[in-house]
Amino acid sequence: MTSDIPINRLARVALHLAPESETQSSISGQQTRAMSSRFLDVPQAPPDAILGISEAFKADTSPDKMNLGVGAYRTEEGKPLVLGAVREAERREYLNMGGIPEFCKLAAALAFGKGSAALQEGRNATIQCLSGTGSLRVGGEFLSSFYPGPKLVLIPTPSWANHKAIFKRCGMQTQEYRYYKPETRGLDYEGMLEDIRAAPDGAVLLLHACAHNPTGVDPTPEQWQGILEVTQSKKLLPFFDSAYQGFASGDLDRDGASLRMFADTGMEMLLAQSFAKNMGLYGERVGALSVVVGDAAAAKKVESQLKITARQMYSNPPRHGASIATRILGDPALMDQWKQELKGMADRIHTMRQGLYDALQEVGAPGDWTHILKQIGMFSFTGLTRPQVENMTNKWHVYMTFDGRISMAGLSSGKCKYLAEAIKDSVENC
Amino acid sequence: MSSRFLDVPQAPPDAILGISEAFKADTSPDKMNLGVGAYRTEEGKPLVLGAVREAERRVLADPTENKEYLNMGGIPEFCKLAAALAFGKGSAALQEGRNATIQCLSGTGSLRVGGEFLSSFYPGPKLVLIPTPSWANHKAIFKRCGMQTQEYRYYKPETRGLDYEGMLEDIRAAPDGAVLLLHACAHNPTGVDPTPEQWKGILEVTQSKKLLPFFDSAYQGFASGDLDRDGASLRMFADTGMEMLLAQSFAKNMGLYGERVGALSVVVGDAAAAKKVESQLKITARQMYSNPPRHGASIATRILGDPALMDQWKQELKGMADRIHTMRQGLYDALQEVGAPGDWTHILKQIGMFSFTGLTRPQVENMTNKWHVYMTFDGRISMAGLSSGKCKYLAEAIKDSVENC
């Protein structure tokens, strides 16, 4: 029986209590004695960079305010969109630990293509997870427990901030590879290959399947081929994060091309698949984790372990959103409707890119803004520096992340001019 | 074929879910599923509560509703109402802002996030005391969080009741400051709960050893039919002003099982510290699933926030609890009728969805193999899976198993 721990804890509690009682300020009349608690040393967690911006936006009373921070699709009217196909589709019992089996089959087929050899040979272990985050977490936990290779995940710079946090939480090391080239606002292809080649053989390689978050910069098909070759030669284990299939180009197959290129070589890989954006199911937390294994019997065992991981995290996944997704994916008419709506969302974003680019030309904003057109998906890396971003927000009430990322989905045609002026002012004066 | 994953072992089948699989495959017309813990009607069907249907109808019909991401901590109104339901509206902890409550994925998710939080931030022993027996996932969850676990005596086979002295003895022998897992009511799997006096005794040991209680509340309202009565134990503890954790599930009492509706509360001694604790709970959620699923919690929020729906829900809760009590009485009476040997009063004394019959493993195997009655090997049956028409059959199966195995 340990007797030192309670003494330490009491001492710590006393430390918190004593200063207050001994140094009561007579200047501030308030007595703010921390009450006894074991948790007085718990630090305030840093505010979530992205969500904190939404809070500030909500508090802003300016009629000109714009929220280009959070990555959720908005209509021209700046409203969230519930897809018609989703409403069309809309009981309680526990799902299996692996979720809705039909959902898993259809989700995997959507990502890998119906004719995928991996699927036909039964070499994929797919379970329903909580959107992209949940899929990454379960995948990371699985690798941490069972991957015989280096427990190291190579992550692009920059990437979604939560990637690093998730893998660290799983006990995986992380290492960055060059990705974004500020000078061109494009891909640092040579730097990327160099850094990947320098990593240990067998490491886990995190790849954004399309519409890289936060830059919007994707490799070309030829560049994907080059990345594939290094992956093969170094026996890296690819872990694809696919959060924008269909949403990026408007075409499901086109946006799945990179991960299919890899899967069709027969290699093993992981896929975290999200339906948050492309089906607009954000808060319903719909996603799937697939582990493509070289051996069908091993795939079954892998699946059993994925389920145990889920069991110890949340027992079984939420049914509502996945039920909706299953109905859409399994119904030809709903699929058609969904594809049209997807294209509609992607087109609106392309229109916004063009609109912003044209407006920047009109107002004569200095610099080359073609990257706005070349980047793809929901986000654009403007290239604005931190002081410039602060100006955008403080002076122009335009909310965006400090890395210069704007959500194109948050833009409407009527605001392109205003945004262009804000950018021009920030670039010229900050 | 070549794979990096050839050495991955097949995970053991989930004991409880495996029983459901076997039940499904059974073609006997007499088969009974007393395995999994989900409520069934007299007709053996799942039940969607009327209050839930109505609340869901309103959610789906509401044009201002959408599918946007929730906050990492879930629906704020849900968190407030869930905490008030558990601790009581007048709870000092709530009024003083000393609780950090976030929406989590039912009971499991709440336990996991709570366990992760303790693993990272609890300055006391990273040790969770768990009753014997308990829900198997308890130990697994806390181990996954990096916490040690240790068992305390709970169930006494001889009486099929609480081993109160053994429980206090084991708890007293544990390190001061350890985390003490307590089932708020309707202990799973035994159905054996402490009396109010016994709860008082447990409270005293908790206080004297400065243990940190972690309540698992999965049956509030479902156990006795009365929400306040089923919250009495955790309120007894909270009203002393002590720090504690609570994993709260709406899976059974609202029948929201697969929607994964729950809440984790950390009651802290200091309101400012509670805010920081809440921020850390949110980070934990962020790295696990970013934000919780909205649909089920939207439904729960509507019910908890609407007096008429609350009344309807309370009535339906009472209906479910009453049916289970009726089944307990029905089984007990049938056991007397068929002359099953032994004392079966424990069936009446135990509370909640489950009953620990006391059947041994060979007896349980006989129940399943000969009588097509599916139950878990520890002798647990789900009363919720029983109907009046089957009490006699079940009693005969039990009599046969006890006499011959």
Side-chain angles (χ1 to χ4, degrees), chain A residues 31 88 102 106 112 161 163 173 200 206 217 237 257 305 318 321 366 377 379 382 420 425:
Chain A
Q31 192 165 10
E88 274 273 1
E102 190 62 12
L106 293 167
F112 294 105
H163 278 142
Q173 305 275 19
L206 183 76
V217 170
L237 179 65
Q305 294 297 345
F379 301 115
T382 54
D425 172 64

mmCIF file with all atom_site columns, all heavy atoms in Angstrom, chain A residues 31 88 102 106 112 161 163 173 200 206 217 237 257 305 318 321 366 377 379 382 420 425:
data_model
loop_
_atom_site.group_PDB
_atom_site.id
_atom_site.type_symbol
_atom_site.label_atom_id
_atom_site.label_alt_id
_atom_site.label_comp_id
_atom_site.label_asym_id
_atom_site.label_entity_id
_atom_site.label_seq_id
_atom_site.pdbx_PDB_ins_code
_atom_site.Cartn_x
_atom_site.Cartn_y
_atom_site.Cartn_z
_atom_site.occupancy
_atom_site.B_iso_or_equiv
_atom_site.pdbx_formal_charge
_atom_site.auth_seq_id
_atom_site.auth_comp_id
_atom_site.auth_asym_id
_atom_site.auth_atom_id
_atom_site.pdbx_PDB_model_num
ATOM 1   N N   . GLN A 1 31  ? -12.344 37.362 -3.070  1.00 0.00 ? 31  GLN A N   1
ATOM 2   C CA  . GLN A 1 31  ? -11.623 36.205 -2.579  1.00 0.00 ? 31  GLN A CA  1
ATOM 3   C C   . GLN A 1 31  ? -11.819 35.085 -3.582  1.00 0.00 ? 31  GLN A C   1
ATOM 4   O O   . GLN A 1 31  ? -12.920 34.585 -3.767  1.00 0.00 ? 31  GLN A O   1
ATOM 5   C CB  . GLN A 1 31  ? -12.178 35.798 -1.219  1.00 0.00 ? 31  GLN A CB  1
ATOM 6   C CG  . GLN A 1 31  ? -11.317 34.795 -0.493  1.00 0.00 ? 31  GLN A CG  1
ATOM 7   C CD  . GLN A 1 31  ? -11.683 34.690 0.981   1.00 0.00 ? 31  GLN A CD  1
ATOM 8   O OE1 . GLN A 1 31  ? -12.697 35.247 1.390   1.00 0.00 ? 31  GLN A OE1 1
ATOM 9   N NE2 . GLN A 1 31  ? -10.891 33.997 1.751   1.00 0.00 ? 31  GLN A NE2 1
ATOM 10  N N   . GLU A 1 88  ? -34.253 12.430 -48.668 1.00 0.00 ? 88  GLU A N   1
ATOM 11  C CA  . GLU A 1 88  ? -35.016 11.312 -49.233 1.00 0.00 ? 88  GLU A CA  1
ATOM 12  C C   . GLU A 1 88  ? -34.772 10.047 -48.419 1.00 0.00 ? 88  GLU A C   1
ATOM 13  O O   . GLU A 1 88  ? -35.680 9.279  -48.138 1.00 0.00 ? 88  GLU A O   1
ATOM 14  C CB  . GLU A 1 88  ? -34.536 11.043 -50.670 1.00 0.00 ? 88  GLU A CB  1
ATOM 15  C CG  . GLU A 1 88  ? -35.210 11.867 -51.741 1.00 0.00 ? 88  GLU A CG  1
ATOM 16  C CD  . GLU A 1 88  ? -36.490 11.232 -52.252 1.00 0.00 ? 88  GLU A CD  1
ATOM 17  O OE1 . GLU A 1 88  ? -36.868 10.154 -51.758 1.00 0.00 ? 88  GLU A OE1 1
ATOM 18  O OE2 . GLU A 1 88  ? -37.098 11.818 -53.157 1.00 0.00 ? 88  GLU A OE2 1
ATOM 19  N N   . GLU A 1 102 ? -23.626 -3.812 -44.795 1.00 0.00 ? 102 GLU A N   1
ATOM 20  C CA  . GLU A 1 102 ? -23.893 -3.318 -46.152 1.00 0.00 ? 102 GLU A CA  1
ATOM 21  C C   . GLU A 1 102 ? -23.189 -1.983 -46.379 1.00 0.00 ? 102 GLU A C   1
ATOM 22  O O   . GLU A 1 102 ? -22.631 -1.732 -47.453 1.00 0.00 ? 102 GLU A O   1
ATOM 23  C CB  . GLU A 1 102 ? -25.409 -3.180 -46.335 1.00 0.00 ? 102 GLU A CB  1
ATOM 24  C CG  . GLU A 1 102 ? -25.858 -2.905 -47.750 1.00 0.00 ? 102 GLU A CG  1
ATOM 25  C CD  . GLU A 1 102 ? -25.504 -4.026 -48.724 1.00 0.00 ? 102 GLU A CD  1
ATOM 26  O OE1 . GLU A 1 102 ? -25.106 -5.126 -48.261 1.00 0.00 ? 102 GLU A OE1 1
ATOM 27  O OE2 . GLU A 1 102 ? -25.599 -3.801 -49.945 1.00 0.00 ? 102 GLU A OE2 1
ATOM 28  N N   . LEU A 1 106 ? -20.457 -1.233 -49.363 1.00 0.00 ? 106 LEU A N   1
ATOM 29  C CA  . LEU A 1 106 ? -20.696 -0.176 -50.343 1.00 0.00 ? 106 LEU A CA  1
ATOM 30  C C   . LEU A 1 106 ? -19.659 0.934  -50.242 1.00 0.00 ? 106 LEU A C   1
ATOM 31  O O   . LEU A 1 106 ? -19.225 1.490  -51.251 1.00 0.00 ? 106 LEU A O   1
ATOM 32  C CB  . LEU A 1 106 ? -22.107 0.390  -50.142 1.00 0.00 ? 106 LEU A CB  1
ATOM 33  C CG  . LEU A 1 106 ? -23.237 -0.585 -50.479 1.00 0.00 ? 106 LEU A CG  1
ATOM 34  C CD1 . LEU A 1 106 ? -24.570 -0.060 -49.956 1.00 0.00 ? 106 LEU A CD1 1
ATOM 35  C CD2 . LEU A 1 106 ? -23.320 -0.820 -51.988 1.00 0.00 ? 106 LEU A CD2 1
ATOM 36  N N   . PHE A 1 112 ? -12.655 2.015  -53.590 1.00 0.00 ? 112 PHE A N   1
ATOM 37  C CA  . PHE A 1 112 ? -11.694 1.227  -54.370 1.00 0.00 ? 112 PHE A CA  1
ATOM 38  C C   . PHE A 1 112 ? -12.189 0.890  -55.764 1.00 0.00 ? 112 PHE A C   1
ATOM 39  O O   . PHE A 1 112 ? -11.409 0.446  -56.603 1.00 0.00 ? 112 PHE A O   1
ATOM 40  C CB  . PHE A 1 112 ? -11.350 -0.065 -53.619 1.00 0.00 ? 112 PHE A CB  1
ATOM 41  C CG  . PHE A 1 112 ? -10.610 0.170  -52.336 1.00 0.00 ? 112 PHE A CG  1
ATOM 42  C CD1 . PHE A 1 112 ? -11.250 0.034  -51.119 1.00 0.00 ? 112 PHE A CD1 1
ATOM 43  C CD2 . PHE A 1 112 ? -9.276  0.564  -52.357 1.00 0.00 ? 112 PHE A CD2 1
ATOM 44  C CE1 . PHE A 1 112 ? -10.570 0.271  -49.924 1.00 0.00 ? 112 PHE A CE1 1
ATOM 45  C CE2 . PHE A 1 112 ? -8.592  0.802  -51.166 1.00 0.00 ? 112 PHE A CE2 1
ATOM 46  C CZ  . PHE A 1 112 ? -9.240  0.663  -49.948 1.00 0.00 ? 112 PHE A CZ  1
ATOM 47  N N   . ALA A 1 161 ? -4.196  19.549 -38.640 1.00 0.00 ? 161 ALA A N   1
ATOM 48  C CA  . ALA A 1 161 ? -3.454  19.497 -37.384 1.00 0.00 ? 161 ALA A CA  1
ATOM 49  C C   . ALA A 1 161 ? -3.774  18.249 -36.561 1.00 0.00 ? 161 ALA A C   1
ATOM 50  O O   . ALA A 1 161 ? -2.936  17.744 -35.817 1.00 0.00 ? 161 ALA A O   1
ATOM 51  C CB  . ALA A 1 161 ? -3.752  20.752 -36.553 1.00 0.00 ? 161 ALA A CB  1
ATOM 52  N N   . HIS A 1 163 ? -4.117  15.264 -37.508 1.00 0.00 ? 163 HIS A N   1
ATOM 53  C CA  . HIS A 1 163 ? -3.411  14.040 -37.913 1.00 0.00 ? 163 HIS A CA  1
ATOM 54  C C   . HIS A 1 163 ? -2.321  13.696 -36.919 1.00 0.00 ? 163 HIS A C   1
ATOM 55  O O   . HIS A 1 163 ? -2.254  12.585 -36.392 1.00 0.00 ? 163 HIS A O   1
ATOM 56  C CB  . HIS A 1 163 ? -2.760  14.220 -39.296 1.00 0.00 ? 163 HIS A CB  1
ATOM 57  C CG  . HIS A 1 163 ? -3.712  14.001 -40.434 1.00 0.00 ? 163 HIS A CG  1
ATOM 58  N ND1 . HIS A 1 163 ? -3.702  14.756 -41.585 1.00 0.00 ? 163 HIS A ND1 1
ATOM 59  C CD2 . HIS A 1 163 ? -4.703  13.090 -40.604 1.00 0.00 ? 163 HIS A CD2 1
ATOM 60  C CE1 . HIS A 1 163 ? -4.623  14.332 -42.418 1.00 0.00 ? 163 HIS A CE1 1
ATOM 61  N NE2 . HIS A 1 163 ? -5.258  13.320 -41.851 1.00 0.00 ? 163 HIS A NE2 1
ATOM 62  N N   . GLN A 1 173 ? 5.074   7.375  -33.581 1.00 0.00 ? 173 GLN A N   1
ATOM 63  C CA  . GLN A 1 173 ? 5.901   8.554  -33.842 1.00 0.00 ? 173 GLN A CA  1
ATOM 64  C C   . GLN A 1 173 ? 5.401   9.203  -35.120 1.00 0.00 ? 173 GLN A C   1
ATOM 65  O O   . GLN A 1 173 ? 4.785   8.544  -35.950 1.00 0.00 ? 173 GLN A O   1
ATOM 66  C CB  . GLN A 1 173 ? 7.362   8.127  -34.058 1.00 0.00 ? 173 GLN A CB  1
ATOM 67  C CG  . GLN A 1 173 ? 7.955   7.315  -32.936 1.00 0.00 ? 173 GLN A CG  1
ATOM 68  C CD  . GLN A 1 173 ? 8.498   8.199  -31.846 1.00 0.00 ? 173 GLN A CD  1
ATOM 69  O OE1 . GLN A 1 173 ? 8.137   9.372  -31.747 1.00 0.00 ? 173 GLN A OE1 1
ATOM 70  N NE2 . GLN A 1 173 ? 9.358   7.642  -31.017 1.00 0.00 ? 173 GLN A NE2 1
ATOM 71  N N   . PRO A 1 200 ? 12.734  5.766  -42.827 1.00 0.00 ? 200 PRO A N   1
ATOM 72  C CA  . PRO A 1 200 ? 13.005  4.327  -42.714 1.00 0.00 ? 200 PRO A CA  1
ATOM 73  C C   . PRO A 1 200 ? 12.094  3.508  -43.619 1.00 0.00 ? 200 PRO A C   1
ATOM 74  O O   . PRO A 1 200 ? 10.910  3.842  -43.800 1.00 0.00 ? 200 PRO A O   1
ATOM 75  C CB  . PRO A 1 200 ? 12.677  4.011  -41.255 1.00 0.00 ? 200 PRO A CB  1
ATOM 76  C CG  . PRO A 1 200 ? 12.616  5.311  -40.554 1.00 0.00 ? 200 PRO A CG  1
ATOM 77  C CD  . PRO A 1 200 ? 12.290  6.361  -41.551 1.00 0.00 ? 200 PRO A CD  1
ATOM 78  N N   . LEU A 1 206 ? 1.301   8.743  -44.709 1.00 0.00 ? 206 LEU A N   1
ATOM 79  C CA  . LEU A 1 206 ? -0.030  9.348  -44.764 1.00 0.00 ? 206 LEU A CA  1
ATOM 80  C C   . LEU A 1 206 ? -0.160  10.167 -46.033 1.00 0.00 ? 206 LEU A C   1
ATOM 81  O O   . LEU A 1 206 ? 0.685   11.026 -46.311 1.00 0.00 ? 206 LEU A O   1
ATOM 82  C CB  . LEU A 1 206 ? -0.264  10.249 -43.545 1.00 0.00 ? 206 LEU A CB  1
ATOM 83  C CG  . LEU A 1 206 ? -1.670  10.876 -43.499 1.00 0.00 ? 206 LEU A CG  1
ATOM 84  C CD1 . LEU A 1 206 ? -2.702  9.848  -43.067 1.00 0.00 ? 206 LEU A CD1 1
ATOM 85  C CD2 . LEU A 1 206 ? -1.706  12.078 -42.566 1.00 0.00 ? 206 LEU A CD2 1
ATOM 86  N N   . VAL A 1 217 ? -3.557  21.690 -52.683 1.00 0.00 ? 217 VAL A N   1
ATOM 87  C CA  . VAL A 1 217 ? -2.560  21.310 -53.697 1.00 0.00 ? 217 VAL A CA  1
ATOM 88  C C   . VAL A 1 217 ? -2.485  19.788 -53.797 1.00 0.00 ? 217 VAL A C   1
ATOM 89  O O   . VAL A 1 217 ? -2.188  19.111 -52.812 1.00 0.00 ? 217 VAL A O   1
ATOM 90  C CB  . VAL A 1 217 ? -1.174  21.880 -53.308 1.00 0.00 ? 217 VAL A CB  1
ATOM 91  C CG1 . VAL A 1 217 ? -0.087  21.294 -54.198 1.00 0.00 ? 217 VAL A CG1 1
ATOM 92  C CG2 . VAL A 1 217 ? -1.194  23.402 -53.401 1.00 0.00 ? 217 VAL A CG2 1
ATOM 93  N N   . LEU A 1 237 ? 3.997   1.710  -45.971 1.00 0.00 ? 237 LEU A N   1
ATOM 94  C CA  . LEU A 1 237 ? 2.595   1.324  -45.840 1.00 0.00 ? 237 LEU A CA  1
ATOM 95  C C   . LEU A 1 237 ? 1.738   2.576  -46.003 1.00 0.00 ? 237 LEU A C   1
ATOM 96  O O   . LEU A 1 237 ? 1.713   3.425  -45.117 1.00 0.00 ? 237 LEU A O   1
ATOM 97  C CB  . LEU A 1 237 ? 2.349   0.692  -44.456 1.00 0.00 ? 237 LEU A CB  1
ATOM 98  C CG  . LEU A 1 237 ? 0.909   0.264  -44.181 1.00 0.00 ? 237 LEU A CG  1
ATOM 99  C CD1 . LEU A 1 237 ? 0.464   -0.861 -45.104 1.00 0.00 ? 237 LEU A CD1 1
ATOM 100 C CD2 . LEU A 1 237 ? 0.754   -0.176 -42.723 1.00 0.00 ? 237 LEU A CD2 1
ATOM 101 N N   . ALA A 1 257 ? -8.928  8.212  -57.912 1.00 0.00 ? 257 ALA A N   1
ATOM 102 C CA  . ALA A 1 257 ? -7.881  7.657  -58.779 1.00 0.00 ? 257 ALA A CA  1
ATOM 103 C C   . ALA A 1 257 ? -6.581  7.361  -58.046 1.00 0.00 ? 257 ALA A C   1
ATOM 104 O O   . ALA A 1 257 ? -5.945  6.329  -58.298 1.00 0.00 ? 257 ALA A O   1
ATOM 105 C CB  . ALA A 1 257 ? -7.627  8.604  -59.948 1.00 0.00 ? 257 ALA A CB  1
ATOM 106 N N   . GLN A 1 305 ? -9.653  -7.624 -34.973 1.00 0.00 ? 305 GLN A N   1
ATOM 107 C CA  . GLN A 1 305 ? -8.922  -6.717 -34.081 1.00 0.00 ? 305 GLN A CA  1
ATOM 108 C C   . GLN A 1 305 ? -9.436  -5.279 -34.190 1.00 0.00 ? 305 GLN A C   1
ATOM 109 O O   . GLN A 1 305 ? -9.466  -4.555 -33.205 1.00 0.00 ? 305 GLN A O   1
ATOM 110 C CB  . GLN A 1 305 ? -7.414  -6.774 -34.383 1.00 0.00 ? 305 GLN A CB  1
ATOM 111 C CG  . GLN A 1 305 ? -6.756  -8.118 -34.067 1.00 0.00 ? 305 GLN A CG  1
ATOM 112 C CD  . GLN A 1 305 ? -6.809  -8.470 -32.582 1.00 0.00 ? 305 GLN A CD  1
ATOM 113 O OE1 . GLN A 1 305 ? -7.082  -7.625 -31.732 1.00 0.00 ? 305 GLN A OE1 1
ATOM 114 N NE2 . GLN A 1 305 ? -6.559  -9.729 -32.268 1.00 0.00 ? 305 GLN A NE2 1
ATOM 115 N N   . PRO A 1 318 ? -22.423 4.860  -34.358 1.00 0.00 ? 318 PRO A N   1
ATOM 116 C CA  . PRO A 1 318 ? -23.784 5.412  -34.417 1.00 0.00 ? 318 PRO A CA  1
ATOM 117 C C   . PRO A 1 318 ? -24.473 5.017  -35.713 1.00 0.00 ? 318 PRO A C   1
ATOM 118 O O   . PRO A 1 318 ? -23.888 5.083  -36.778 1.00 0.00 ? 318 PRO A O   1
ATOM 119 C CB  . PRO A 1 318 ? -23.564 6.927  -34.346 1.00 0.00 ? 318 PRO A CB  1
ATOM 120 C CG  . PRO A 1 318 ? -22.177 7.150  -34.801 1.00 0.00 ? 318 PRO A CG  1
ATOM 121 C CD  . PRO A 1 318 ? -21.396 5.914  -34.455 1.00 0.00 ? 318 PRO A CD  1
ATOM 122 N N   . GLY A 1 321 ? -26.592 8.062  -39.304 1.00 0.00 ? 321 GLY A N   1
ATOM 123 C CA  . GLY A 1 321 ? -25.943 8.577  -40.506 1.00 0.00 ? 321 GLY A CA  1
ATOM 124 C C   . GLY A 1 321 ? -25.553 7.472  -41.464 1.00 0.00 ? 321 GLY A C   1
ATOM 125 O O   . GLY A 1 321 ? -25.718 7.587  -42.683 1.00 0.00 ? 321 GLY A O   1
ATOM 126 N N   . PRO A 1 366 ? -1.883  42.949 -55.895 1.00 0.00 ? 366 PRO A N   1
ATOM 127 C CA  . PRO A 1 366 ? -0.546  42.598 -56.397 1.00 0.00 ? 366 PRO A CA  1
ATOM 128 C C   . PRO A 1 366 ? -0.261  41.102 -56.274 1.00 0.00 ? 366 PRO A C   1
ATOM 129 O O   . PRO A 1 366 ? -0.718  40.453 -55.343 1.00 0.00 ? 366 PRO A O   1
ATOM 130 C CB  . PRO A 1 366 ? 0.410   43.408 -55.514 1.00 0.00 ? 366 PRO A CB  1
ATOM 131 C CG  . PRO A 1 366 ? -0.375  43.806 -54.321 1.00 0.00 ? 366 PRO A CG  1
ATOM 132 C CD  . PRO A 1 366 ? -1.819  43.782 -54.681 1.00 0.00 ? 366 PRO A CD  1
ATOM 133 N N   . GLY A 1 377 ? -10.584 21.620 -54.265 1.00 0.00 ? 377 GLY A N   1
ATOM 134 C CA  . GLY A 1 377 ? -11.301 21.197 -53.069 1.00 0.00 ? 377 GLY A CA  1
ATOM 135 C C   . GLY A 1 377 ? -11.832 22.391 -52.311 1.00 0.00 ? 377 GLY A C   1
ATOM 136 O O   . GLY A 1 377 ? -11.967 23.496 -52.831 1.00 0.00 ? 377 GLY A O   1
ATOM 137 N N   . PHE A 1 379 ? -10.574 24.060 -49.790 1.00 0.00 ? 379 PHE A N   1
ATOM 138 C CA  . PHE A 1 379 ? -9.680  25.058 -49.230 1.00 0.00 ? 379 PHE A CA  1
ATOM 139 C C   . PHE A 1 379 ? -8.731  25.650 -50.246 1.00 0.00 ? 379 PHE A C   1
ATOM 140 O O   . PHE A 1 379 ? -8.362  25.038 -51.235 1.00 0.00 ? 379 PHE A O   1
ATOM 141 C CB  . PHE A 1 379 ? -8.853  24.447 -48.094 1.00 0.00 ? 379 PHE A CB  1
ATOM 142 C CG  . PHE A 1 379 ? -9.689  23.899 -46.976 1.00 0.00 ? 379 PHE A CG  1
ATOM 143 C CD1 . PHE A 1 379 ? -9.706  22.554 -46.695 1.00 0.00 ? 379 PHE A CD1 1
ATOM 144 C CD2 . PHE A 1 379 ? -10.492 24.756 -46.220 1.00 0.00 ? 379 PHE A CD2 1
ATOM 145 C CE1 . PHE A 1 379 ? -10.497 22.040 -45.677 1.00 0.00 ? 379 PHE A CE1 1
ATOM 146 C CE2 . PHE A 1 379 ? -11.283 24.264 -45.200 1.00 0.00 ? 379 PHE A CE2 1
ATOM 147 C CZ  . PHE A 1 379 ? -11.288 22.899 -44.931 1.00 0.00 ? 379 PHE A CZ  1
ATOM 148 N N   . THR A 1 382 ? -3.977  30.804 -49.426 1.00 0.00 ? 382 THR A N   1
ATOM 149 C CA  . THR A 1 382 ? -3.825  32.080 -50.114 1.00 0.00 ? 382 THR A CA  1
ATOM 150 C C   . THR A 1 382 ? -2.379  32.544 -50.193 1.00 0.00 ? 382 THR A C   1
ATOM 151 O O   . THR A 1 382 ? -2.013  33.278 -51.106 1.00 0.00 ? 382 THR A O   1
ATOM 152 C CB  . THR A 1 382 ? -4.603  33.174 -49.374 1.00 0.00 ? 382 THR A CB  1
ATOM 153 O OG1 . THR A 1 382 ? -4.168  33.179 -48.000 1.00 0.00 ? 382 THR A OG1 1
ATOM 154 C CG2 . THR A 1 382 ? -6.101  32.912 -49.421 1.00 0.00 ? 382 THR A CG2 1
ATOM 155 N N   . ALA A 1 420 ? -11.715 40.293 -52.250 1.00 0.00 ? 420 ALA A N   1
ATOM 156 C CA  . ALA A 1 420 ? -10.553 40.695 -53.044 1.00 0.00 ? 420 ALA A CA  1
ATOM 157 C C   . ALA A 1 420 ? -9.978  42.010 -52.536 1.00 0.00 ? 420 ALA A C   1
ATOM 158 O O   . ALA A 1 420 ? -8.756  42.188 -52.467 1.00 0.00 ? 420 ALA A O   1
ATOM 159 C CB  . ALA A 1 420 ? -10.954 40.811 -54.512 1.00 0.00 ? 420 ALA A CB  1
ATOM 160 N N   . ASP A 1 425 ? -5.789  44.954 -49.727 1.00 0.00 ? 425 ASP A N   1
ATOM 161 C CA  . ASP A 1 425 ? -5.386  45.845 -48.643 1.00 0.00 ? 425 ASP A CA  1
ATOM 162 C C   . ASP A 1 425 ? -4.365  45.170 -47.724 1.00 0.00 ? 425 ASP A C   1
ATOM 163 O O   . ASP A 1 425 ? -3.357  45.776 -47.344 1.00 0.00 ? 425 ASP A O   1
ATOM 164 C CB  . ASP A 1 425 ? -6.625  46.259 -47.837 1.00 0.00 ? 425 ASP A CB  1
ATOM 165 C CG  . ASP A 1 425 ? -6.268  47.031 -46.589 1.00 0.00 ? 425 ASP A CG  1
ATOM 166 O OD1 . ASP A 1 425 ? -5.706  48.152 -46.724 1.00 0.00 ? 425 ASP A OD1 1
ATOM 167 O OD2 . ASP A 1 425 ? -6.525  46.532 -45.469 1.00 0.00 ? 425 ASP A OD2 1
#
